[in-house]
Amino acid sequence: MISYIIAIAVLVLGGTLIFWLMRNRKQAKHLQPPFNITREPRKTIIPRDKHPVSRRHINDNALKVINRLNSQGYEAYLVGGCIRDLYLDLHPKDFDIATNASPEDVRRLFRNSRLIGRRFKLVHVLFGREMIEVATFRANHEQHHGQEKSRHSESGRILRDNVYGTMEDDALRRDFTVNALYYDGRDFSVVDFCHGVDDIRTGTLRLIGDPVTRYHEDPVRMLRAIRFVAKLNFSLAPETEQPIRELGHLLRDIPAARLFDEVLKLLQSGEGVRTFELLREYQLFGPLFPATEHCLQEQDRHAGNLIIEALNSTDQRVRQNRPVTPAFLFAALLWPPMRRMARELMDQGIPPVPAFQQASMTVITNQCNHTAIPRRFSMMVRDIWDLQIRLERRQPKLIETLLAHPKFRAAYDFLVLREQSGENLSAAGQWWTEIQELDEHGRYAMIRSLSSHGSQKKPGNKRRRRRRKPYSDNASSNSQSGES
Ligand code: ATP
Ligand code: MG
C-alpha cells in the first residue's frame, strides 16, 4: 500500500515538474523577441591590421578633407557606402565624410565649398568636377527631444532632422549596420558602433534599431534595402525583411521627385533585372508603378518579358560603361499600360492615332503622381512610342526621314526589344537592322522592294488612307498589329 502511495506521489510530482518545465520553456520562448533585434550598440575600434580598408583605394580629395579637418582640431571620418564597399572589395560610388564641425565651420575651412540642403544642411567641397560631401554628425529626433529642429508627419515620417549629435548618435540614425562604419584617417582604424563588420562578414543587411519605426521614419529605406540586397548580394535579416510587404503603401507619401531618383538608382545600377524581381517579390513595385503592376498581375503576356528585356539591356550597357537613358527604361516600364489604354480607347471607337496619343499622355501624367518624370525624358518616351507605329509600318516614302530622326536609334532599339519580348511585328526589327547596314544602293533596293510588295499596309484601309495624313494612316494599322 505504502509503495503504491509513493508511486502515485512520484508520478504526480514528476508530472507536475514536467508540466512546469514545459510551461516555462514555452513562456521563455514567447518572451524572446522573435528576432535578434536587441543587439546593443557598442563602440568597437578595428585597428588597421585587422581590416581590409586600404588608403590606396580611398579618394585623394576625400583624404585631404578629413586630414584638413583633423589638423584644425575637428573629428572627421569617411563613412557610409564607401567603407562598406571597400570592405567588400568594390569600387565606391562616392566618398562621404562625417564630422563634428558645423556646416558653417566646414564652409569657412574650405574656400572651394558651398552650403547646400533644405532637408539636411550639408557642405559640398569641390575639386574641379569632383565633389566630396561633408555632413555634421546628426542624431535621431528621439535622441534629442529638447531641440526643436526635427519634425515628423502623422505616419512617423521624418520631415526635417537637422539635429546635431555625437558620433554615436550619427551612427545610430544611419539606415543599415553595414552603412554605419567610420574610417579614421589619423590611425587608419575603422570604428563600428552597430556590429556592421559582423554583418559584412555574414552578408547580412540589417536595419539599425526597430525596423517598423525606421521604415515609418523614411519609407525609402525599404527601397534602399532592396537595392543593397541586389548590389551586394546580401540577405535581409529576418526582422528587417518581415515588415516590408506590409509597409510598401508608405511610399505613396514620398515626394515623386525623390522616388524618380530612387528608381534610377534601383534600375540603372547594373543589377536592374534582379532588383525588379526583388521589388515585385516584396510588393514594392506596385507603389512605384501601379498601372504597370496592374498589367503584370493580369498576366499580360508581353509586359513582364518586355521589362526584363529592357532591364537586361540596361544592365549590360551599365556594365560596359555605355550611356543609358531613363527615357528608354520608362518607355519600357510604361508601355504595357499605355498599349492597354490605347486599345481600350480604340474599342470605344476612337481612331488609333488619337487613341495612342491620349493613352501616352494619360499614362505619363498618372505616373508622374508616383515617380516624377522630368520633361526631357517624358518627351523622349513619347517620341520612342510615336516612332514605333511608323517603324512598324515601313512606309517607303518615310524610310529615309525615319533613319535620320534624332530618336531613331532609341526607337529602333525599343522595337527590337518588343520583338524579343514576343510581340509579333512582322519582322520589322530585322528589316530595320538590315537597312542600317546597307549603303545607299542597298537601301534603295530594300525600299523599292517594299513598294513592290505594297509596303506593310493592311488591306481594307484604303478609304481612310486617302483621307488621313500618312502618319495617322500608319498608326491605324500598326498600333494593333502583332498585338494579341
Ligand atoms: P551607394 O552610394 O553605393 O548608393 P550609400 O550607402 O553610400 O550607397 P548614399 O545614398 O550615398 O548610400 O548614402 C550615404 C550614407 O548615408 C549611407 O551609407 C547611410 O549611412 C546614410 N543614409 C543614406 N540614406 C539614408 C536614409 N534614408 N536613412 C538613414 N541613413 C541614410
Ligand atoms: Mg554613397
Side-chain angles (χ1 to χ4, degrees):
M1 182 69 183
I2 289 178
S3 61
Y4 185 65
I5 292 169
I6 291 173
I8 288 183
V10 167
L11 271 174
V12 168
L13 274 173
T16 314
L17 188 69
I18 289 169
F19 175 73
W20 184 83
L21 280 174
M22 297 275 286
R23 201 170 133 242
N24 272 357
R25 225 182 107 202
K26 227 175 175 178
Q27 265 184 2
K29 219 174 176 180
H30 180 71
L31 286 174
Q32 265 173 13
F35 308 113
N36 177 22
I37 56 175
T38 50
R39 296 189 316 169
E40 284 304 313
R42 179 170 40 87
K43 182 173 179 179
T44 312
I45 297 175
I46 301 133
R48 175 63 192 95
D49 59 342
K50 295 275 187 316
H51 70 72
V53 180
S54 157
R55 248 174 318 157
R56 273 186 300 127
H57 300 129
I58 297 178
N59 178 294
D60 283 344
N61 292 326
L63 285 175
K64 269 185 214 156
V65 174
I66 50 173
N67 290 340
R68 180 91 203 276
L69 283 162
N70 287 156
S71 71
Q72 297 298 308
Y74 296 107
E75 281 179 50
Y77 303 85
L78 283 163
V79 63
C82 59
I83 304 305
R84 173 201 71 213
D85 287 351
L86 291 174
Y87 242 98
L88 293 165
D89 206 16
L90 300 170
H91 286 291
K93 245 179 26 201
D94 41 34
F95 288 84
D96 296 326
I97 289 171
T99 176
N100 64 354
S102 71
E104 291 73 17
D105 290 341
V106 180
R107 170 74 193 90
R108 261 195 302 277
L109 266 182
F110 296 92
R111 266 197 300 140
N112 50 334
S113 69
R114 59 178 187 220
L115 262 173
I116 61 131
R118 271 178 299 154
R119 193 157 163 248
F120 309 129
K121 248 192 198 173
L122 300 167
V123 181
H124 283 173
V125 185
L126 305 162
F127 297 89
R129 295 177 68 191
E130 191 171 62
M131 183 267 291
I132 305 291
E133 194 167 280
V134 185
T136 303
F137 291 147
R138 285 204 302 266
N140 255 340
H141 177 63
E142 281 74 20
Q143 294 157 351
H144 284 253
H145 282 291
Q147 296 181 44
E148 277 303 310
K149 286 179 182 164
S150 163
R151 269 193 319 128
H152 287 65
S153 73
E154 266 177 29
S155 69
R157 188 158 60 88
I158 296 181
L159 299 174
R160 191 154 62 90
D161 68 347
N162 254 340
V163 181
Y164 299 125
T166 62
M167 182 178 176
E168 180 166 359
D169 294 335
D170 191 78
L172 295 181
R173 65 102 198 153
R174 289 180 183 272
D175 47 6
F176 302 100
T177 59
V178 297
N179 284 351
L181 297 172
Y182 295 74
Y183 177 86
D184 190 334
R186 291 166 297 191
D187 60 4
F188 319 124
S189 63
V190 167
V191 189
D192 179 5
F193 288 93
C194 305
H195 310 271
V197 170
D198 290 346
D199 284 338
I200 282 195
R201 286 206 185 102
T202 57
T204 309
L205 194 72
R206 190 188 308 275
L207 264 179
I208 297 167
D210 171 53
V212 173
T213 313
R214 303 298 320 273
Y215 287 141
H216 271 91
E217 279 175 4
D218 183 2
V220 169
R221 287 173 186 151
M222 293 185 276
L223 299 178
R224 289 175 60 83
I226 299 305
R227 180 154 72 86
F228 294 130
V229 163
K231 168 178 165 158
L232 308 172
N233 204 11
F234 273 29
S235 313
L236 285 169
E239 78 277 9
T240 301
E241 177 182 39
Q242 201 218 21
I244 296 182
R245 286 189 184 84
E246 281 139 47
L247 298 181
H249 63 93
L250 295 173
L251 288 170
R252 303 229 159 91
D253 290 341
I254 303 295
R258 186 169 177 217
L259 288 185
F260 174 77
D261 292 343
E262 287 303 322
V263 165
L264 296 194
K265 287 187 206 162
L266 282 160
L267 301 180
Q268 289 197 328
S269 304
E271 292 295 341
V273 174
R274 170 110 183 92
T275 307
F276 169 68
E277 286 165 353
L278 284 166
L279 285 174
R280 291 218 66 222
E281 187 184 330
Y282 285 95
Q283 295 168 25
L284 294 174
F285 185 74
L288 295 173
F289 292 92
T292 312
E293 175 65 25
H294 186 66
C295 294
L296 292 167
Q297 281 188 11
E298 302 255 297
Q299 310 287 321
D300 179 332
R301 206 150 52 88
H302 307 304
N305 290 351
L306 181 79
I307 293 169
I308 296 279
E309 291 288 349
L311 290 169
N312 226 332
S313 124
T314 303
D315 286 350
Q316 279 171 28
R317 291 182 72 98
V318 172
R319 285 178 201 149
Q320 293 159 2
N321 275 327
R322 288 163 67 199
V324 288
T325 166
F328 191 76
L329 202 60
F330 275 79
L333 287 163
L334 298 176
W335 176 259
M338 194 284 286
R339 192 183 49 184
R340 167 187 289 229
M341 184 175 286
R343 235 182 265 154
E344 282 167 7
L345 291 169
M346 285 187 275
D347 288 347
Q348 292 164 22
I350 298 178
V353 167
F356 222 75
Q357 288 175 343
Q358 193 180 323
S360 305
M361 175 90 105
T362 311
V363 166
I364 288 176
T365 308
N366 288 348
Q367 181 59 34
C368 285
N369 293 323
H370 305 279
T371 66
I373 310 175
R375 202 172 148 67
R376 63 185 185 284
F377 299 129
S378 63
M379 299 283 282
M380 190 169 163
V381 170
R382 294 187 65 177
D383 279 345
I384 292 174
W385 288 347
D386 281 353
L387 283 166
Q388 295 308 298
I389 299 167
R390 290 187 267 174
L391 293 181
E392 277 180 61
R393 272 308 276 154
R394 286 170 274 166
Q395 237 204 345
K397 271 189 290 182
L398 291 180
I399 301 298
E400 294 293 351
T401 318
L402 287 172
L403 283 166
H405 194 289
K407 297 292 179 289
F408 169 78
R409 187 69 213 188
Y412 158 76
D413 285 345
F414 194 72
L415 186 82
V416 172
L417 216 65
R418 286 173 59 207
E419 271 189 342
Q420 283 170 358
S421 75
E423 278 192 66
N424 173 11
L425 305 179
S426 315
Q430 179 61 26
W431 191 89
W432 285 102
T433 307
E434 277 169 26
I435 198 164
Q436 289 176 78
E437 287 160 0
L438 295 175
D439 61 10
E440 212 177 317
H441 290 295
R443 282 184 185 186
Y444 182 67
M446 266 185 95
I447 295 169
R448 227 183 26 198
S449 103
L450 268 185
S451 310
S452 62
H453 284 94
S455 102
Q456 304 300 305
K457 290 167 194 162
K458 279 187 179 172
N461 272 347
K462 265 190 186 159
R463 275 188 55 222
R464 200 188 263 172
R465 261 202 308 274
R466 244 179 265 128
R467 278 193 289 114
R468 303 177 75 87
K469 285 191 260 173
Y471 175 78
S472 324
D473 183 32
N474 290 339
S476 70
S477 55
N478 278 289
S479 52
Q480 293 169 80
S481 75
E483 296 173 16
S484 52

